[in-house]
Amino acid sequence: MKSDIHPDYHEITIVMTDGTTFKTRSCMGKEGDTLRLDIDPKSHPAWTGVQRVIDTGGQVAKFNKRFASIGTRKK
């Protein structure tokens, strides 16, 4: 391998949304930095299976009304 072309690979601390921490190695930041996650497998709907629909100002209802006829066949 060529020297002086690879990024520094060091240990950092990851803080999950529930406060648990673990150490891993990364090129991010510098030795001993902390990465705080906003979304992780414990809180993201893709992994938890809990879906939430946030309807701000009736946007979902407006979408459904506007596109309700798409996919229906007219004779």
Side-chain angles (χ1 to χ4, degrees), residues 2-73:
K2 292 183 180 180
S3 60
D4 300 328
I5 65 166
H6 300 286
D8 180 35
Y9 191 61
H10 49 269
E11 192 171 271
I12 64 169
T13 303
I14 307 292
V15 180
M16 307 288 267
T17 56
D18 65 352
T20 58
T21 63
F22 66 93
K23 293 192 181 284
T24 188
R25 295 180 57 80
S26 174
C27 296
M28 186 211 87
K30 59 186 183 295
E31 179 79 29
D33 276 356
T34 301
L35 174 64
R36 296 186 182 279
L37 299 179
D38 294 330
I39 297 175
D40 63 16
K42 295 177 183 177
S43 65
H44 194 279
W47 288 288
T48 61
V50 177
Q51 297 290 328
R52 292 182 301 230
V53 176
I54 300 172
D55 189 9
T56 56
Q59 291 179 0
V60 173
K62 186 166 64 172
F63 177 86
N64 289 337
K65 180 181 174 186
R66 184 174 180 187
F67 296 106
S69 64
I70 292 180
T72 58
R73 196 178 256 195

